[in-house]
């Protein structure tokens, strides 16, 4: 099976959302956890595709989009753009209490109404950030590395000096991959790690 990387196209959105859902439980399929299959994609993919499409790349195989990487060169500016142009529409679509607070959907809903801000000292040193997901069928074939390197090149061209990302503390496979890609831990939260590296 062949696989290749290309720039994001508008028609890729639904497939990118599906990849987000099917890898959304610390790399495992989260489909059974969410009653709304688009909710994770709205939070973790959609804003990048809408607001920073030049920093969005997809991995495609014979069956379609099987992975993606999205990013922002200036995290603080991206957060402000989301607050202006992305979250308001989702807040109207998903009012508070749309889902029970204790459910996976309820926890994601909180991110729409109270999106977290990146730590100031992390953003100061590592202003860019990214999200990446790859379907299991293409893991271990070097495609994750190629996706990251493609984004790194685009971020360097945009003038970003360094990058950070968040990862679940229990997603050991992903953490190992990021370490191999030159990331080191710069912050530890209760359930997640912040990893970073220069570009």
């Amino acid at each position: 099976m062949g696989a290749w990387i290309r720039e994001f196209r508008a028609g890729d959105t639904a497939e990118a959302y599906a990849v987000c859902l099917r890898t959304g439980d610390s790399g495992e399929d989260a489909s059974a956890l969410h009653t709304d299959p688009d909710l994770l994609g709205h939070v973790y993919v959609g804003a990048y595709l809408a607001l920073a499409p030049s920093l969005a790349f997809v991995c495609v195989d014979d069956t379609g989009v099987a992975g993606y990487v999205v990013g922002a060169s200036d995290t603080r500016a991206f957060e402000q753009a989301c607050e202006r142009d992305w979250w308001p529409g989702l807040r109207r679509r998903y009012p508070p209490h749309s889902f029970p607070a204790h459910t996976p959907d309820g926890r994601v809903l909180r991110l729409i109404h109270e999106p977290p801000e990146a730590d100031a000292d992390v953003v100061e040193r590592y202003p860019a950030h990214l999200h990446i997901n790859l379907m299991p069928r293409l893991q271990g074939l070097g495609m994750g590395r190629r996706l990251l390197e493609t984004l790194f090149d685009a971020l360097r061209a945009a003038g970003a000096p360094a990058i950070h990302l968040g990862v679940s503390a229990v997603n050991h496979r992903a953490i190992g991959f990021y370490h191999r890609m030159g990331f080191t831990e710069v912050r530890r939260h209760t359930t997640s790690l912040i990893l970073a590296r220069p570009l």
Side-chain angles (χ1 to χ4, degrees):
M1 181 192 307
W4 62 96
I5 293 169
R6 61 166 170 78
E7 295 178 350
F8 163 77
R9 301 171 186 162
D12 298 328
T13 299
E15 288 184 284
Y17 271 41
V19 171
C20 184
L21 179 64
R22 293 175 64 191
T23 58
D25 183 16
S26 294
E28 301 297 324
D29 192 344
S31 300
L33 302 177
H34 295 277
T35 58
D36 187 319
D38 291 333
L39 201 57
L40 278 179
H42 287 324
V43 170
Y44 292 108
V45 188
Y48 300 89
L49 304 181
L51 304 178
S54 65
L55 295 173
F57 302 91
V58 294
C59 182
V60 181
D61 65 9
D62 296 337
T63 63
V65 173
Y68 61 81
V69 65
V70 294
S73 59
D74 182 331
T75 294
R76 204 59 88 210
F78 182 77
E79 290 172 344
Q80 293 166 357
C82 286
E83 192 57 43
R84 182 181 63 247
D85 300 321
W86 186 250
W87 300 128
L90 286 176
R91 288 169 184 158
R92 289 190 294 271
R93 180 173 175 179
Y94 299 99
H97 314 300
S98 295
F99 306 101
H102 65 281
T103 64
D105 285 328
R107 290 189 284 273
V108 177
L109 178 68
R110 270 202 307 277
L111 299 177
I112 292 173
H113 289 273
E114 301 174 22
E117 289 188 354
D119 298 321
D121 61 322
V122 172
V123 170
E124 183 178 352
R125 292 179 292 158
Y126 308 97
H129 76 272
L130 69 86
H131 293 285
I132 181 173
N133 277 306
L134 190 64
M135 293 294 292
R137 67 179 184 267
L138 290 186
Q139 292 175 9
L141 302 177
M143 301 310 297
R145 175 179 291 274
R146 287 180 56 193
L147 277 170
L148 284 186
E149 289 174 344
T150 301
L151 178 63
F152 292 166
D153 287 343
L155 285 168
R156 290 186 194 104
I163 189 165
H164 73 275
L165 59 86
V167 60
S168 168
V170 301
N171 194 345
H172 302 295
R173 181 172 181 176
I175 293 168
F177 167 67
Y178 294 134
H179 284 161
R180 292 192 296 276
M181 291 297 300
F183 286 84
T184 58
E185 182 181 327
V186 295
R187 180 65 51 82
R188 182 177 290 263
H189 297 293
T190 304
T191 60
S192 65
L193 307 177
I194 305 298
L195 308 180
R197 57 159 282 172
L199 290 167

